[in-house]
């Protein structure tokens, strides 16, 4: 009986510990679905857990329960106040430095009206359009929404917004059925056809997709996937990356040829593609959507094998390159590739001589966010990355932009970060 009576108290202490951890991570992107109710729900749960722990405790333990509860409440309120303050300060920002930093951000959204002032005043450089923006809507509605944002830019004398999406084909077809669904690019290899016909089909695939995207006002597509197929099923904790299902081939030459033909088709319609996810995720087993990851493949192997599609396609097209949130310890043990100054400046810009568009994967993914959003933001800007993507949890844009503004104010960033990034063109590329 004594053991049974102790159970509620133990559960209360366990719940209190969990809630304290939640308080220190208030507004984590994984809990975005609770955003409106998160703080009151947390505070109510803290009070309930503290009451249970208090009733089961005596003496010093009650003091501990009270201290933990008060600390968690203060931490949660601090996060809430900081978030609101960042939003206020960013919304009030103006001037050439604010516009130059804003031009570095591509931001997702629920309601385009929330972006109108940011777009008009040059505090963002682009928008990310995905499934939540097309669900239950018509192509005409989305097209008019994008056009209205671009009209604000034109009237303000600002460059057009980058309008990005994630339409790979196959399982990652964010704008379908508004954009006709196509099978994965890898399906083109299923047909037993000569190489020249395969490339014609890939080019036609890209042109068809590019035409549908351009008709909506999309200018940058986060495709093709040029990670090599790892030849294994996704791991237990790989919920979203799933490269085996999205990659073109395990052969770097085949991948490069098909990806280049596809990219040429996209560009013929006026849409730029994006080679992803550098440095190649074939050797990664963790899912960077939720956790940190390390690529253990030797750099010599990567340079001779996995990096070939990135180099070959980028040399013969205007494709951008997306940087993944993986640690490549042999080159930089401290920062993921997406904000590694060593890798961006020494390898991509230096050894490769690539001067095209570099964009991070979503900074609200666990592989970057868990290392500190401010750290990731300052690191990517300092490394020389052109565009920082904040797609899933767009509220985090205000925290990241505030950090960038503070970084310039404190002199923590190279002055060159206030130069405008290389913007994708809106006209058909030749």
């Amino acid at each position: 009986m004594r053991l049974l009576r102790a159970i509620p108290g133990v559960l209360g202490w366990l719940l209190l510990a969990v809630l304290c951890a939640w308080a220190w991570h208030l507004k984590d992107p994984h809990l975005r679905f609770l955003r409106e109710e998160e703080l009151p729900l947390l505070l109510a749960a803290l009070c309930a857990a503290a009451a249970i722990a208090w009733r089961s405790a005596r003496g010093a333990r009650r003091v501990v329960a009270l201290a933990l509860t008060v600390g968690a409440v203060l931490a949660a309120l601090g996060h809430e106040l900081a978030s609101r303050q960042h939003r206020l300060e960013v919304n009030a920002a103006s001037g050439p430095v604010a516009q130059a930093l804003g031009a570095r951000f591509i931001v997702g959204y629920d309601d385009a009206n929330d972006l109108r002032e940011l777009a008009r005043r040059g505090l963002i450089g682009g928008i990310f359009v995905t499934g939540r923006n097309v669900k239950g809507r018509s192509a005409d509605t989305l097209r008019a929404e994008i056009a209205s944002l671009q009209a604000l830019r034109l009237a303000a004398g600002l460059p057009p917004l980058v309008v990005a999406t994630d339409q790979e084909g196959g399982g990652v077809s964010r704008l379908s059925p508004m954009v006709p669904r196509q099978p994965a690019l890898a399906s083109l290899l299923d047909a037993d056809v000569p190489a020249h016909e395969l490339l014609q089909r890939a080019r036609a695939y890209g042109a068809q997709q590019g035409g549908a995207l351009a008709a909506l006002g999309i200018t940058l597509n986060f495709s093709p996937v040029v990670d090599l197929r790892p030849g294994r099923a996704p791991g237990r904790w790989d919920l979203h990356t799933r490269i085996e299902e999205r990659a073109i081939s395990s052969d770097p030459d085949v991948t490069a040829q098909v990806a280049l033909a596809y990219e040429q088709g996209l560009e013929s319609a006026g849409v730029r593609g994006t080679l992803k996810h550098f440095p190649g995720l074939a050797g990664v087993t963790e899912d960077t959507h939720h956790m940190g990851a390390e690529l253990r493949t030797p750099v010599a192997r990567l340079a001779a094998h996995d990096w070939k599609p990135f180099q070959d396609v980028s040399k013969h097209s205007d494709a951008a390159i997306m940087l993944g949130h993986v640690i490549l310890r042999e080159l930089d043990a401290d920062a993921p590739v997406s904000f590694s100054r060593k890798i961006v400046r020494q390898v991509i810009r230096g050894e490769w001589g690539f001067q095209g568009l570099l964009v991070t994967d979503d900074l609200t993914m666990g592989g970057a966010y868990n290392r500190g959003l401010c750290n990731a933001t300052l690191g990517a800007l300092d490394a020389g990355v052109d565009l920082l993507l904040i797609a899933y949890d767009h509220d985090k844009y205000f925290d990241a932009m505030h950090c960038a503004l503070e970084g310039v104010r404190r002199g923590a960033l190279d002055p060159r970060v206030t130069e405008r990034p290389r913007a994708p063109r809106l006209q058909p590329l030749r």
Side-chain angles (χ1 to χ4, degrees):
M1 290 299 292
R2 182 179 298 176
L3 180 61
L4 291 176
R5 287 196 297 269
I7 289 176
V10 172
L11 292 178
W13 281 99
L14 287 174
L15 180 59
L16 185 58
V18 169
L19 294 174
C20 286
W22 179 6
W24 281 104
H25 294 88
L26 192 76
K27 298 183 180 295
D28 186 281
H30 284 98
L31 297 176
R32 179 180 176 270
F33 67 97
L34 284 176
R35 188 59 46 81
E36 296 301 321
E37 303 84 16
E38 186 178 12
L39 182 60
L41 181 62
L42 173 61
L43 295 178
L46 274 169
C47 291
I52 295 172
W54 179 272
R55 284 198 298 268
S56 68
R58 293 291 183 272
R61 291 185 179 182
R62 286 190 166 185
V63 176
V64 172
L66 180 61
L68 287 174
T69 304
V70 171
V73 169
L74 291 176
L77 292 176
H79 281 298
E80 180 68 25
L81 291 173
S83 177
R84 294 188 181 194
Q85 185 65 25
H86 293 170
R87 184 180 290 265
L88 287 172
E89 292 184 17
V90 169
N91 281 328
S94 62
V97 170
Q99 287 189 346
L101 290 173
R104 301 280 177 175
F105 289 94
I106 298 180
V107 183
Y109 66 98
D110 289 327
D111 185 343
N113 289 324
D114 295 336
L115 298 180
R116 291 181 67 82
E117 276 301 294
L118 296 174
R120 185 185 67 79
R121 295 170 53 221
L123 296 177
I124 56 173
I127 61 173
F128 178 75
V129 185
T130 189
R132 65 174 178 260
N133 307 119
V134 304
K135 187 176 182 180
R137 309 180 72 197
S138 69
D140 287 341
T141 301
L142 180 61
R143 186 183 303 113
E145 181 176 275
I146 294 171
S148 70
L149 291 171
Q150 297 289 26
L152 289 174
R153 302 284 285 197
L154 181 63
L158 293 169
L161 291 167
V162 176
V163 183
T165 194
D166 213 0
Q167 188 77 11
E168 298 173 9
V172 180
S173 300
R174 306 300 186 204
L175 301 191
S176 297
M178 187 178 289
V179 170
R181 185 180 294 274
Q182 295 166 286
L185 261 177
S187 68
L188 299 179
L189 276 63
D190 294 340
D192 186 15
V193 298
H196 72 276
E197 185 175 337
L198 169 63
L199 300 185
Q200 288 176 353
R201 292 186 180 190
R203 194 173 293 109
Y205 179 114
Q208 177 186 343
Q209 189 182 82
L213 294 174
L216 294 173
I218 305 296
T219 63
L220 180 66
N221 189 23
F222 295 144
S223 179
V225 173
V226 295
D227 309 278
L228 301 181
R229 274 190 164 174
R232 64 174 186 277
R236 177 181 300 177
W237 304 112
D238 185 357
L239 303 177
H240 297 99
T241 304
R242 309 183 75 84
I243 292 301
E244 178 69 15
E245 300 168 10
R246 299 163 61 195
I248 296 170
S249 170
S250 60
D251 186 321
D253 292 310
V254 171
T255 298
Q257 291 165 10
V258 172
L260 177 58
Y262 163 82
E263 172 67 18
Q264 291 169 339
L266 272 182
E267 291 182 5
S268 71
V271 177
R272 179 178 292 191
T274 308
L275 310 174
K276 62 184 189 183
H277 313 76
F278 182 82
L281 301 183
V284 177
T285 56
E286 302 92 347
D287 188 343
T288 56
H289 291 83
H290 306 290
M291 65 192 76
E294 184 173 337
L295 177 59
R296 298 173 179 84
T297 307
V299 168
R301 168 69 174 175
L302 294 172
H305 194 69
D306 297 58
W307 293 352
K308 183 175 176 58
F310 291 97
Q311 292 178 289
D312 288 357
V313 179
S314 64
K315 285 178 181 176
H316 298 96
S317 73
D318 282 326
I321 294 178
M322 175 175 280
L323 306 176
H325 304 315
V326 296
I327 291 282
L328 187 52
R329 190 171 299 276
E330 190 176 336
L331 295 181
D332 189 344
D334 298 322
V337 170
S338 50
F339 50 99
S340 168
R341 181 185 177 98
K342 294 178 183 177
I343 295 173
V344 170
R345 297 203 176 201
Q346 294 177 18
V347 177
I348 303 176
R349 299 294 194 203
E351 294 175 16
W352 294 13
F354 178 75
Q355 296 304 314
L357 196 72
L358 289 178
V359 57
T360 69
D361 209 341
D362 189 351
L363 293 182
T364 63
M365 291 167 59
Y369 186 85
N370 293 346
R371 287 176 164 263
L373 179 60
C374 188
N375 182 46
T377 299
L378 294 180
L381 290 172
D382 184 60
V385 179
D386 298 295
L387 295 172
L388 281 61
L389 176 64
I390 299 183
Y392 174 70
D393 190 348
H394 43 267
D395 288 344
K396 297 300 178 183
Y397 154 75
F398 294 100
D399 295 330
M401 180 63 168
H402 179 269
C403 180
L405 289 166
E406 284 294 295
V408 171
R409 185 185 64 80
R410 298 194 319 266
L413 284 174
D414 188 316
R416 284 177 293 181
V417 304
T418 58
E419 298 173 1
R420 291 193 179 278
R422 304 160 182 81
R425 310 174 202 172
L426 294 175
Q427 292 77 32
L429 303 168
R430 301 301 180 189

